[in-house]
Structures are given as C-alpha cells and as structure tokens.
C-alpha cells in the first residue's frame, strides 16, 4: 500500500487546482441555514466589543499602553476581538465540520479515489475555512472603522494579518481534529479555546500578569495574533510584529504537515 501512496504524494502537479476543487465542493454543498451560522459567529465578538470594550470602557478614563500612550479602552480591546473572530471562524470549519466529514460522513474516503491527495484535501479545507474567517475579519474591521477604533489605512493592513491568524488556527485545529476519537473530545478543545480567549492579553496587557505566568501567555498562538493585530491597528510595537508573523507562519506549516500526514495514515490504512 505504501508503494501505491508514495507516487501520488510525490506528484505535485495540479495541487492548486485540486485543492480549489475542494473549495468548489463546499460551495456547492452550502445550504440556506449555513448563512445563519456565519452570522452568529461574527456577532459574538462584536457583542464582546460592545459590552466590555465600550461598556466597561466607559468606566475607564483612559487606558495606558505598555509604551506609555493613553488610548480608549475599546481601542485596546478591539484588535484582540478581531484576532478572536479570526480564530473562531477558522476553528469552526477545521474542527467540528472537518471531523464530521472525516469520521462520520466518510467523505474523504471517497475523495482519495480521485486524483486529489490528502495534502490537497487539507489545503482545500483550510482554504474554505479562510473564506469564512476572512468574511468575519472584513466585517469586524468595518465595524472598527465605523466606531472610529482604527483608521481605514490601518484596517487594510490588518486584514492580511487577520487572514494569517485564521490560517494558523485553522491548520492547527485540523491537525488536532485528526487525533479526536469522538465529539466529546472537542470539549477539551473548547475549554482550551476559551482559556486562550481570556488569557492572551485580550482585556489586559501581558505585563499585568505575574512574571512566572507572563512568559507562558506570550508563547500562546492567540497572544501572538493579538500582539500582531494590536500593533497594526494601534501601533507602537516596533519590529516585534516580524516575530509574530514568523510564529503564525510556522504554526500554519506545522499544522498542515501534521494534518496531511495523519490523513495519509488514516485514509490509506
């Protein structure tokens, strides 16, 4: 079986076209109720922004950034909500939906009978997840501009950073999903996602945490995404955004590699 699989893995021609066919398949399978799920995923971070960023922000006279500048609290929180929105949109597609297609619908068992390979399945599903994640990011950035929480120019720069965030979390979520045995295993992933949301410099700077905890916060993927988007939307981060970009790119490559190799082992066994 390995000798039959290896030639297909080594053939890299047409990868983009075959991955695009996975996106086309997902578009063709869309149902009207799916659009309600898209809207609900976008509304949640907006409500957090309004309730905490704006609501609690009314009680704060001015919020001091680590570089000493004072901004409105909503300006500080909004980029973190953007990062959380990109994370949520990407994970929704590459965890629950991906697992259902893989484990129960057995969709990919049929697809590998075609010229599409496991890596192209993973890349196609990740690209489809980014259609959803990019829509969330674009809509949230429009809200930020409308609320005067960032400028149009900074919003245009923040969009590709938000897309990169989605790619990183989408690939990581897909890789983790290949290890899941049942729906109950996703309870652990949901808990981890909520912890990241609360403790990634979302509502307070990482400098507010004890020194022993701060280093742990700063190496989490959501913190790197929040740090990157806050630097783009608010400024003042210097050249540290390069480290954030490299971190997220590395996570994307690692997640895709693990997911595709795991799919090879599971689909061709």
């Amino acid at each position: 079986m390995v000798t039959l699989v290896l030639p297909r893995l080594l053939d890299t021609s047409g990868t983009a076209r075959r991955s695009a066919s996975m996106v086309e398949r997902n578009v063709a399978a869309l149902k009207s109720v799916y659009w309600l799920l898209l809207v609900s995923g976008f509304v949640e971070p907006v409500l957090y922004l309004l309730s905490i960023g704006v609501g609690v922000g009314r009680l704060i006279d001015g919020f001091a950034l680590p570089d000493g500048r004072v901004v409105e609290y909503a300006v500080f929180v909004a980029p973190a909500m953007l990062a959380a929105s990109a994370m949520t949109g990407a994970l929704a597609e590459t965890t629950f939906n991906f697992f259902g297609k893989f484990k129960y619908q057995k969709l990919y068992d049929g697809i590998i009978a075609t010229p599409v390979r496991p890596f192209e399945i993973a890349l196609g599903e990740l690209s489809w997840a980014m259609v959803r994640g990019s829509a969330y990011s674009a809509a949230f950035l429009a809200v930020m501009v409308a609320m005067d929480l960032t400028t149009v120019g900074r919003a245009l720069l923040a969009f590709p950073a938000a897309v990169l965030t989605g790619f990183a979390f989408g690939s990581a979520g897909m890789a983790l999903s290949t290890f899941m045995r049942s729906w109950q295993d996703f309870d652990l992933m949901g808990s981890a996602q909520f912890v990241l949301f609360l403790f990634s410099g979302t509502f307070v700077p990482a400098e507010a945490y004890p020194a022993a905890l701060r280093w742990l916060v700063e190496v989490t993927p959501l913190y790197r995404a929040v740090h990157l988007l806050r630097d783009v939307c608010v400024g003042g981060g210097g050249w540290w955004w390069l480290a954030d970009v490299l971190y997220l790119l590395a996570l994307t490559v690692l997640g895709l590699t693990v997911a595709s190799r795991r799919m090879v082992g599971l689909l061709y066994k």
Side-chain angles (χ1 to χ4, degrees), residues 76-109:
F76 174 81
V77 170
M81 295 297 100
L82 174 59
S85 178
M87 175 186 70
T88 300
L91 286 179
E93 284 293 339
T94 59
T95 53
F96 297 103
N97 292 351
F98 176 80
F99 181 76
K101 295 173 187 176
F102 196 177
K103 183 78 172 180
Y104 293 100
Q105 296 180 16
K106 302 295 183 181
L107 175 66
Y108 306 131
D109 293 72

Side-chain angles (χ1 to χ4, degrees), residues 4 8 61 76 95 98 109 179 192 199 204 230 248 266:
L4 294 176
R8 298 181 67 185
D61 199 18
F76 174 81
T95 53
F98 176 80
D109 293 72
F179 291 93
F199 299 101
V204 295
R230 188 168 283 147
L248 295 174
L266 294 170

Side-chain angles (χ1 to χ4, degrees), residues 74 214 240:
R214 177 180 171 182
W240 281 104

Side-chain angles (χ1 to χ4, degrees), residues 243-259:
D244 300 328
V245 169
L246 292 174
Y247 180 107
L248 295 174
L249 283 174
L251 182 59
T252 301
V253 173
L254 177 63
L256 267 177
T257 302
V258 172

Side-chain angles (χ1 to χ4, degrees), residues 82-83 86 130 137 141 154-168 224-233 241 244-245 248:
L82 174 59
M130 287 319 304
S137 299
L141 282 167
R154 286 186 177 275
L156 292 175
L157 291 175
F159 180 72
V163 172
L164 175 59
T165 298
F167 267 113
R224 302 320 316 177
V226 170
H227 187 269
L228 172 62
L229 287 166
R230 188 168 283 147
D231 184 30
V232 175
C233 293
W241 63 270
D244 300 328
V245 169
L248 295 174

Side-chain angles (χ1 to χ4, degrees), residues 16 27 48 69 92 98 104 156 159 174 178 186 246 262 264:
V27 172
Y48 271 111
R69 288 180 301 137
F98 176 80
Y104 293 100
L156 292 175
F159 180 72
M174 189 182 302
T178 61
F186 283 97
L246 292 174
R262 287 279 301 167
V264 169

Side-chain angles (χ1 to χ4, degrees), residues 162-245:
V163 172
L164 175 59
T165 298
F167 267 113
F169 277 99
S171 62
M174 189 182 302
L176 290 173
S177 295
T178 61
F179 291 93
M180 299 299 174
R181 297 162 297 177
S182 67
W183 295 112
Q184 285 69 32
D185 291 340
F186 283 97
D187 291 341
L188 296 174
M189 184 177 291
S191 298
Q193 184 178 343
F194 189 64
V195 170
L196 284 176
F197 175 71
L198 291 179
F199 299 101
S200 294
T202 313
F203 302 110
V204 295
E207 289 77 7
Y209 296 112
L213 182 60
R214 177 180 171 182
W215 71 268
L216 181 61
V217 170
E218 292 183 345
V219 299
T220 60
L222 185 57
Y223 176 82
R224 302 320 316 177
V226 170
H227 187 269
L228 172 62
L229 287 166
R230 188 168 283 147
D231 184 30
V232 175
C233 293
V234 183
W239 288 96
W240 281 104
W241 63 270
L242 283 173
D244 300 328
V245 169

